[in-house]
Amino acid sequence: AQKVTQAQTEISVVEKEDVTLDCVYETRDTTYYLFWYKQPPSGELVFLIRRNSFDEQNEISGRYSWNFQKSTSSFNFTITASQVVDSAVYFCALSEVDHTGGFKTIFGAGTRLFVKA
Amino acid sequence: DTEVTQTPKHLVMGMTNKKSLKCEQHMGHRAMYWYKQKAKKPPELMFVYSYEKLSINESVPSRFSPECPNSSLLNLHLHALQPEDSALYLCASSRNRERDEKLFFGSGTQLSVL
């Protein structure tokens, strides 16, 4: 079965520190997609990034960067120079085929990030 | 318009009440989802609609009844709920149910069952 593990339950940092959120996944598929979502206190999950299994290039978007390593089945997320507005729960996710032939999203347990001023 | 709108934002109901949660999107998405999220847990999939047909029911109790009247609307009818059903109910949509599709979420309905 597919599985996404986010071992860090909560992380607390001081503003301007860098922070890395870990994600390890298990899948038998050779083609798969990984995602990161952010859930601020307002409640809605917001899509951050999608990565397919054939593209191991790291990606940077402003203060956010993602490191995908197929060899270790990891898709880690780093926030550089964290800000208070980064405080949220971050979910790593994997798409999984279901019994209808479509796909559904499997979420990790989430990492709650507190950024203190 | 890249929003998924959910109403109401908060709902308190007794165990004998009947209520409905509503979700709307105007992005032309053909897949819509209901998730249940307990505090400090990830979202759990409840139902999936694809092209207005129910594709997945994740063994959800019959006191939860989904409905998809058209491609933009998704309802969740609630009847005879239990206190343990108190949670944040999130609606989401995606263009379709392909492997690479990202989900667009509403801000949820915080439900309390007394």
Side-chain angles (χ1 to χ4, degrees):
Chain A
Q2 323 261 66
K3 190 176 172 185
V4 178
T5 301
Q6 295 180 256
Q8 303 149 309
T9 306
E10 289 187 359
I11 301 176
S12 185
V13 300
V14 177
E15 213 171 17
K16 297 185 184 172
E17 283 185 19
D18 299 347
V19 57
T20 295
L21 311 182
D22 297 333
C23 173
V24 174
Y25 62 91
E26 294 175 33
T27 180
R28 291 191 195 131
D29 294 347
T30 52
T31 302
Y32 52 90
Y33 278 81
L34 295 159
F35 305 80
W36 276 94
Y37 288 86
K38 174 182 180 180
Q39 187 175 32
S42 54
E44 83 280 14
L45 278 83
V46 176
F47 166 80
L48 295 177
I49 191 172
R50 166 181 52 205
R51 174 63 86 218
N52 77 53
S53 50
F54 295 107
D55 183 1
E56 289 197 67
Q57 281 201 349
N58 292 332
E59 180 151 343
I60 298 175
S61 176
R63 297 184 296 106
Y64 294 173
S65 62
W66 290 269
N67 180 278
F68 175 38
Q69 293 203 339
K70 216 166 169 178
S71 59
T72 55
S73 298
S74 65
F75 185 40
N76 296 337
F77 172 31
T78 297
I79 302 174
T80 303
S82 58
Q83 299 177 1
V84 172
V85 294
D86 296 326
S87 297
V89 182
Y90 292 86
F91 292 99
C92 182
L94 173 68
S95 60
E96 172 187 76
V97 65
D98 62 51
H99 65 277
T100 70
F103 292 88
K104 61 183 181 181
T105 302
I106 303 298
F107 288 94
T111 297
R112 185 175 296 269
L113 175 65
F114 295 97
V115 181
K116 294 179 281 192
Chain B
D1 185 357
T2 58
E3 276 193 349
V4 175
T5 304
Q6 287 189 246
T7 55
K9 292 198 182 305
H10 301 275
L11 180 62
V12 178
M13 59 187 291
M15 290 191 284
T16 57
N17 291 159
K18 283 186 184 180
K19 296 285 184 185
S20 296
L21 309 185
K22 296 185 185 305
C23 174
E24 192 167 1
Q25 57 87 15
H26 295 288
M27 294 178 278
H29 289 177
R30 304 314 300 268
M32 295 187 77
Y33 311 77
W34 281 114
Y35 283 86
K36 174 182 177 180
Q37 187 178 26
K38 299 285 262 184
K40 299 193 175 183
K41 296 290 186 184
E44 293 175 30
L45 185 63
M46 299 174 72
F47 303 104
V48 181
Y49 274 84
S50 181
Y51 292 85
E52 296 140 64
K53 287 190 168 52
L54 184 65
S55 288
I56 294 180
N57 174 343
E58 293 282 35
S59 303
V60 179
S62 59
R63 57 186 184 267
F64 295 90
S65 175
E67 179 197 20
C68 189
N70 60 55
S71 60
S72 299
L73 292 174
L74 186 66
N75 298 322
L76 186 63
H77 302 298
L78 314 173
H79 174 53
L81 294 193
Q82 304 296 310
E84 60 264 28
D85 296 322
S86 298
L88 179 68
Y89 288 83
L90 291 161
C91 174
S93 71
S94 62
R95 285 187 312 174
N96 51 52
R97 296 196 60 228
E98 294 297 322
R99 189 192 302 263
D100 62 339
E101 284 304 313
K102 61 186 178 185
L103 298 172
F104 292 75
F105 282 86
S107 54
T109 295
Q110 187 66 55
L111 175 67
S112 297
V113 182
L114 304 178

